[in-house]
């Protein structure tokens, strides 16, 4: 592999890039603990399977995803209610309790990936301009940013909820590189979401560095090839 030319600016994703969110969190155990009070009425594993199937359907549509991530508590409640309906367990108490408990357990489980924050610190020390681009509602995203002390590491932070648009809208990438004073061809976008952090920015001339956590490879029939593929953020320094 040829050595990558040092960029003038790097745009970084947060969830599942710097900190764990889906990858690296035992979400199944979070669901088991949240649904534990149903054990006398139903096989919890069947309930969890139904919730996960409904969640997969819900988040598979880009527009449902956009609306849902702006109010995760509401989206989770809707997913849980739809899943419990097939077991005739639907009531507001069940739905609210599971959604609330799951959210609390998952928030506690989120941690930075090993070496991720140190990697960002190294990039900053190298004089590279850095932007954090994260989708989701303002309060929960800033809670994570503040919890892990990320704000001082970045020249700009763009949170979908307060900026008004998020990835993969071209305007957020354009705004970020404009604020950093960099050209698209001198900028990298780094993240785990193939469409948001690779395909969309590369259509604008930004180089996409894909974090392929599960080593699944480029999606079949994809017309996009990442500039580089890594498996953890810390590998970025090897480039």
């Amino acid at each position: 592999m040829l050595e990558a030319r040092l960029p003038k600016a790097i745009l970084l994703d947060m969830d599942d890039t710097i900190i764990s969110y889906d990858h690296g969190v035992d979400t199944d155990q979070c669901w088991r603990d949240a649904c534990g009070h149903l054990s006398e009425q139903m096989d919890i594993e069947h309930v969890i399977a139904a919730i996960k199937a409904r969640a997969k359907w819900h988040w598979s549509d880009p527009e449902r995803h956009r609306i849902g991530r702006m109010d995760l508590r509401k989206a989770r409640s809707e997913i849980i209610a739809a899943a419990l309906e097939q077991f005739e367990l639907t009531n507001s108490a069940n739905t609210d309790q599971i959604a609330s408990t799951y959210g609390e357990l998952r928030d506690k489980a989120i941690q930075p990936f090993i070496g991720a924050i140190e990697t960002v610190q190294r990039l900053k020390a190298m004089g590279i301009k850095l932007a954090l681009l994260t989708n989701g509602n303002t309060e929960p995203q800033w809670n994570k940013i503040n919890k892990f002390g990320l704000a001082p590491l970045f020249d700009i932070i763009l949170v979908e909820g307060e900026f008004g648009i998020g990835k993969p809208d071209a305007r957020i990438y354009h705004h970020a590189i404009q604020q950093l004073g960099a050209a698209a061809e001198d900028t990298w976008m780094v993240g785990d979401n193939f469409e948001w952090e690779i395909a969309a920015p590369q259509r604008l001339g930004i180089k996409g560095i894909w974090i392929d956590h599960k080593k699944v490879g480029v999606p079949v029939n994809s017309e996009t090839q990442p500039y580089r593929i890594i498996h953890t953020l810390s590998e970025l320094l090897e480039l």
Side-chain angles (χ1 to χ4, degrees):
M1 180 182 290
L2 296 176
E3 183 179 355
R5 184 166 61 90
L6 196 68
K8 293 181 179 178
I10 297 180
L11 317 180
L12 282 155
D13 172 53
M14 180 171 68
D15 293 326
D16 284 327
T17 294
I18 300 173
I19 62 175
S20 61
Y21 189 71
D22 287 316
H23 184 81
V25 173
D26 189 350
T27 55
D28 282 356
Q29 190 58 51
C30 292
W31 282 122
R32 290 187 189 101
D33 292 340
C35 296
H37 65 289
L38 300 178
S39 60
E40 295 182 0
Q41 300 170 265
M42 189 68 200
D43 184 333
I44 294 179
E45 296 304 319
H46 290 166
V47 174
I48 294 171
I51 292 174
K52 291 173 67 176
R54 183 69 183 190
K56 183 177 181 180
W57 171 85
H58 184 94
W59 298 115
S60 66
D61 179 78
E63 183 61 14
R64 282 198 302 269
H65 198 298
R66 184 189 66 80
I67 295 171
R69 65 181 180 253
M70 300 308 293
D71 190 343
L72 272 178
R73 177 66 180 273
K74 180 181 179 182
R76 282 178 184 151
S77 293
E78 291 174 351
I79 290 167
I80 294 165
L84 294 183
E85 187 173 1
Q86 63 184 284
F87 303 109
E88 298 183 353
L89 294 173
T90 303
N91 61 62
S92 58
N94 273 337
T95 299
D96 291 345
Q97 181 175 343
I98 294 172
S100 177
T101 303
Y102 176 82
E104 292 171 1
L105 292 170
R106 185 166 179 168
D107 287 347
K108 290 179 181 178
I110 293 172
Q111 294 294 328
F113 289 115
I114 294 174
I117 291 179
E118 291 80 3
T119 297
V120 181
Q121 292 171 335
R122 286 280 302 280
L123 296 172
K124 183 177 179 66
M126 293 165 67
I128 299 172
K129 295 293 185 181
L130 301 176
L132 184 67
L133 275 58
T134 181
N135 280 0
N137 202 356
T138 305
E139 183 177 355
Q141 295 307 90
W142 270 104
N143 284 344
K144 287 179 279 188
I145 291 167
N146 292 329
K147 179 179 179 180
F148 300 114
L150 300 181
L153 302 179
F154 292 91
D155 297 282
I156 61 168
I157 294 175
L158 301 178
V159 178
E160 181 182 23
E162 62 183 357
F163 187 62
I165 52 175
K167 299 169 291 186
D169 191 304
R171 291 172 291 177
I172 195 167
Y173 311 105
H174 280 307
H175 182 80
I177 61 177
Q178 181 182 33
Q179 292 297 305
L180 295 178
E185 60 267 24
D186 295 321
T187 302
W188 293 358
M189 175 79 228
V190 184
D192 69 297
N193 187 299
F194 195 86
E195 174 59 29
W196 295 356
E197 279 96 50
I198 307 302
Q202 288 201 161
R203 287 193 287 268
L204 307 176
I206 297 168
K207 296 176 175 67
I209 312 293
W210 185 37
I211 301 182
D212 180 12
H213 286 295
K214 298 180 180 179
K215 302 182 180 181
V216 297
V218 175
V220 177
N221 300 325
S222 173
E223 297 180 355
T224 301
Q225 289 295 321
Y227 180 59
R228 292 289 187 274
I229 298 176
I230 57 180
H231 306 299
T232 65
L233 184 61
S234 58
E235 291 178 32
L236 190 64
L237 297 175
E238 298 176 12
L239 300 182

